[in-house]
Amino acid sequence: MTVYECCEAVRAAYSQIGSGDVGYVPKAIAAAVRALNTVASDERVPAELREQAAFAAANLLISDHQDA
């Protein structure tokens, strides 16, 4: 997936990080898992979206990609 396939909110954040307006997070995988975990555990979020977030977080955790 590329940034151009993402929603406007993701593209805006990408642009802000790239321009230096906001800080880059060196441990991006851990940050992504934390964000997905927050969505997955929030009972105000629809169940289908919570399940998608949980599945994505679990896949990141089990993948061979690691934060340097």
Side-chain angles (χ1 to χ4, degrees):
M1 180 172 218
T2 68
V3 69
Y4 304 108
E5 298 172 274
C6 294
C7 70
E8 179 58 31
V10 172
R11 291 193 310 268
Y14 183 92
S15 177
Q16 291 173 336
I17 293 167
S19 69
D21 289 343
V22 293
Y24 168 75
V25 177
K27 300 212 178 239
I29 294 172
V33 170
R34 281 192 298 275
L36 290 165
N37 183 62
T38 298
V39 173
S41 63
D42 188 340
E43 293 188 9
R44 297 171 297 173
V45 175
E48 183 178 351
L49 182 55
R50 290 191 348 249
E51 289 171 13
Q52 289 174 359
F55 185 77
N59 271 282
L60 284 173
L61 289 169
I62 207 164
S63 75
D64 60 353
H65 291 64
Q66 295 181 3
D67 286 324

